[in-house]
Amino acid sequence: MSKIVSVEEAVALIPEDAVLMIGGFMGVGTPSRLMDEIVRQRKCGLTVIANDTARPGQGIGKLVDARLVRRIVVSHIGTNPETQRQMIAGELEVDLVPQGTLAERVRAGGHGLGGILTAVGIGTVVGKDKRTLTVDGDTFLLELPLKADFALLNAKRADYRGNLQYALTARNFNPLMAMAAATVIAEAEDVVPTGAITPDSVDTPHVLVDWLINKEYCNG
């Protein structure tokens, strides 16, 4: 069965109030066509797990601009004044998580771990109301795993089976999120014949990818 679908078909699979993991770092590695289509189809009440919300009009910032996001779990919002405005106004719930902890919580979700132990956040607002454990005299926060209904990824190349290859820093959160979501939708800049991506170059194997969007299916 072919995994290639149009961007419209892929986004139609996402219900309102879904939990989304979205790859990217300041928009680099974020699937831009999927962002545009989510806005067009007005998928509301979303929970977004990502590194950041980029900037207004860019990447995940488009979802924030369109008021489609109810809650975000991110490492920072400093580059998006609209995210800050909605948070201060009580229109958007923001859960700030240290970047390394965020990555590890996603990894834990994808690998079936019950959580991670970290000293980051001890004695700060990050550690408020969280469980702690003492190991060899040191105190650690127990951070729980993160999972999602959908992971939305961006790849430099994909083959027709769904093997993905990322480009440089666009790799960022994408491989981790591919492991931690029930359904994975990947947007590829180029789709090549199966075998054109050598095994050593596959960053996310096809068994993790449910649906693949090719540039041929881009709106307009």
Side-chain angles (χ1 to χ4, degrees):
M1 182 183 72
S2 175
K3 295 184 177 182
I4 296 183
V5 294
S6 69
V7 67
E8 294 86 355
E9 290 171 323
V11 171
L13 298 171
I14 301 172
E16 294 187 356
D17 302 319
V19 178
L20 307 181
M21 285 183 176
I22 303 176
F25 188 105
M26 287 302 300
V28 177
T30 299
S32 59
R33 285 167 281 161
L34 283 167
M35 298 300 97
D36 290 340
E37 186 60 20
I38 289 172
V39 172
R40 191 188 73 82
Q41 293 192 24
R42 299 293 304 171
K43 300 291 184 174
C44 300
L46 301 173
T47 295
V48 171
I49 301 168
N51 181 68
D52 54 74
T53 58
R55 297 183 175 89
Q58 178 187 17
I60 297 169
K62 295 179 180 180
L63 307 186
V64 175
D65 291 345
R67 308 290 187 88
L68 300 179
V69 183
R70 177 185 62 82
R71 176 173 179 258
I72 55 171
V73 182
V74 292
S75 68
H76 72 89
I77 58 172
T79 57
N80 194 322
E82 177 58 21
T83 303
Q84 299 169 37
R85 189 200 66 75
Q86 290 185 27
M87 179 185 70
I88 294 169
E91 301 166 357
L92 175 63
E93 181 183 347
V94 177
D95 185 359
L96 292 173
V97 181
Q99 189 176 81
T101 302
L102 179 65
E104 284 296 285
R105 289 179 67 186
V106 173
R107 183 183 67 83
H111 287 74
L113 303 180
I116 64 163
L117 297 179
T118 176
V120 176
I122 291 287
T124 74
V125 67
V126 171
K128 184 180 179 182
D129 299 326
K130 291 182 178 177
R131 284 175 282 176
T132 60
L133 290 173
T134 301
V135 180
D136 293 334
D138 294 320
T139 301
F140 297 90
L141 293 177
L142 172 62
E143 294 281 5
L144 300 180
L146 289 171
K147 298 181 181 181
D149 302 316
F150 292 84
L152 308 182
L153 314 178
N154 175 267
K156 177 67 174 178
R157 293 200 304 166
D159 65 24
Y160 285 96
R161 295 192 71 188
N163 293 303
L164 306 181
Q165 180 181 20
Y166 308 111
L168 302 174
T169 58
R171 181 178 290 107
N172 51 63
F173 279 80
N174 283 296
L176 293 176
M177 290 178 172
M179 294 285 292
T183 300
V184 174
I185 302 174
E187 176 182 303
E189 296 177 24
D190 192 21
V191 177
V192 298
T194 300
I197 303 175
T198 62
D200 285 349
S201 298
V202 172
D203 296 309
T204 295
H206 67 90
V207 294
L208 298 176
V209 178
D210 298 283
W211 302 105
L212 177 64
I213 298 166
N214 193 0
K215 61 183 178 181
E216 301 170 8
Y217 295 92
C218 181
N219 286 333

